[in-house]
């Protein structure tokens, strides 16, 4: 294993599975038990915001009680100890990376603990329920708060920063994502096009596994800490 100058890590629901949070597309996943077109599209929110609010309000207690697992903790350690920048881009709306000690995590799909006002654009903390009667504390408008979660049909967050990171990375690691939701699924191609080594950590090969140089199969809570220790040991030699 070589030494790297810019490490970029993309995480998906699989990294939080061992913390007890359901993934989206597994047999017991969120999208198999809930109609995705009714809870995760901007059209659904426009047509029936109360239904969408209920869905995320019910999800919140489960997400907030989850604790980071060994994979989140290992990535936080890598960020602290590796001498070059280690950037985390996550599709997850939980904040388990931050709870593990990671800083500056790019939440491209938003965060469940926040809401955004569609009238003034301000983001507020939303650890308790929000609904169609919530009043924006900034512009005082009622009924315009939306979970700060990127729905299908909306633009991803932080993409300018993501593009710069991908253009300069020499190691790209994808952990626990099925690679079917774009544009995150195409980040590996961008990383490869600039010459990065590419690693995929998953339980199984994914639909875009063709773009990865290395496949590490198994539970992220085991494989990721092992890999992090190898990277840190290499750096010490
Ligand atoms: P998926 O549910 O599509 O994929 C989860 C992946 O994690 C699968 O490939 C599993 O094989 C893998 N996996 C499960 N447990 C694992 C473990 N213990 N260790 C390693 N891998 C494991 O979730 P995402 O790819 O994250 O968007 O889904 C992408 C987006 O689709 C989500 O961010 C969400 C959804 O629509 C929003 O909600 C905005």
């Amino acid at each position: 294993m070589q030494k790297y100058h810019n490490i970029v890590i993309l995480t998906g629901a699989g990294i939080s599975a061992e913390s007890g949070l359901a993934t989206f597309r597994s047999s017991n996943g969120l999208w198999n038990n809930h109609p995705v077109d009714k809870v995760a599209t901007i059209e659904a929110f426009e047509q029936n915001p109360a239904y969408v609010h209920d869905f995320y309000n019910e999800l919140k207690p489960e997400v907030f009680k989850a604790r980071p697992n060994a994979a989140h903790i290992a990535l936080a350690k890598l960020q602290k100890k590796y001498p070059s920048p280690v950037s985390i881009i996550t599709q997850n709306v939980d904040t388990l990376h931050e709870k593990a000690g990671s800083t500056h995590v790019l939440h491209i799909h938003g965060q469940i603990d926040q809401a955004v006002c569609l009238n003034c654009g301000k983001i507020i903390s939303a650890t308790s329920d929000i609904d169609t009667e919530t009043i924006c504390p900034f512009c005082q408008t009622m009924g315009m708060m939306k979970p700060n979660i990127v729905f299908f049909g909306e633009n991803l967050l932080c993409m300018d920063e993501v593009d710069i990171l991908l253009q300069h990375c020499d190691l790209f690691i994808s952990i626990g994502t099925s690679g079917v939701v774009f544009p995150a699924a195409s980040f590996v191609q961008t990383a490869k096009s600039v010459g990065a080594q590419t690693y995929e950590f998953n339980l199984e090969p994914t639909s875009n596994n063709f773009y990865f140089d290395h496949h590490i199969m198994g539970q992220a809570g085991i494989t990721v800490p092992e890999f992090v220790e190898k990277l840190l040991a290499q750096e010490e030699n």
Side-chain angles (χ1 to χ4, degrees):
M1 207 179 282
Q2 66 192 73
K3 298 188 180 190
Y4 298 98
H5 298 101
N6 280 299
I7 299 177
V8 174
I9 300 168
L10 172 69
T11 63
I15 196 170
S16 297
E18 289 158 71
S19 294
L21 297 181
T23 60
F24 293 93
R25 295 174 182 79
S26 63
S27 54
N28 203 27
L30 280 180
W31 292 167
N32 281 319
N33 294 318
H34 300 89
V36 59
D37 56 327
K38 295 215 164 31
V39 297
T41 66
I42 192 62
E43 293 81 12
F45 185 70
E46 284 161 3
Q47 282 158 20
N48 194 347
Y51 185 88
V52 177
H53 279 307
D54 283 350
F55 174 74
Y56 291 101
N57 287 338
E58 276 174 32
L59 203 56
K60 280 181 189 183
E62 199 183 318
V63 173
F64 295 155
K65 80 167 192 263
R67 306 269 47 103
N69 64 53
H72 299 105
I73 292 165
L75 294 185
K77 179 176 177 183
L78 186 67
Q79 276 192 315
K80 281 197 189 88
K81 300 217 158 161
Y82 203 75
S84 309
V86 176
S87 306
I88 297 179
I89 304 167
T90 189
Q91 299 169 90
N92 298 341
V93 298
D94 66 52
T95 53
L96 292 178
H97 287 301
E98 288 88 344
K99 286 183 180 152
S102 281
T103 49
H104 196 58
V105 178
L106 298 178
H107 280 270
I108 56 174
H109 288 174
Q111 295 183 212
I112 199 170
D113 62 351
Q114 295 177 342
V116 58
C117 175
L118 297 179
N119 185 53
C120 71
K122 291 276 196 328
I123 291 172
I124 62 163
S125 169
T127 49
S128 50
D129 287 3
I130 51 163
D131 56 33
T132 53
E133 294 184 357
T134 304
I135 294 171
C136 173
F138 292 98
C139 68
Q140 312 305 325
T141 307
M142 188 173 83
M144 295 297 277
M145 299 306 299
K146 171 189 161 294
N148 192 26
I149 290 176
V150 176
F151 293 143
F152 288 103
E154 292 189 297
N155 292 328
L156 265 62
L157 307 175
C158 321
M159 281 307 290
D160 289 347
E161 208 172 336
V162 166
D163 283 340
I164 293 168
L165 288 175
L166 292 173
Q167 288 299 332
H168 295 92
C169 77
D170 53 0
L171 173 61
F172 177 83
I173 301 170
S174 170
I175 304 169
T177 175
S178 54
V180 298
V181 175
F182 285 80
S186 68
F187 291 174
V188 60
Q189 292 173 51
T190 309
K192 259 200 102 54
S193 74
V194 298
Q197 280 281 303
T198 54
Y199 281 77
E200 175 172 60
F201 289 73
N202 204 298
L203 296 177
E204 57 195 14
T206 60
S207 53
N208 66 352
N209 74 342
F210 174 78
Y211 295 104
F212 289 96
D213 303 314
H214 307 276
H215 304 272
I216 310 221
M217 298 292 125
Q219 293 195 308
I222 295 169
T223 56
V224 172
E226 283 173 0
F227 186 74
V228 163
E229 290 310 317
K230 277 189 203 152
L231 278 173
L232 292 174
Q234 174 66 41
E235 200 42 50
E236 279 164 13
N237 292 332

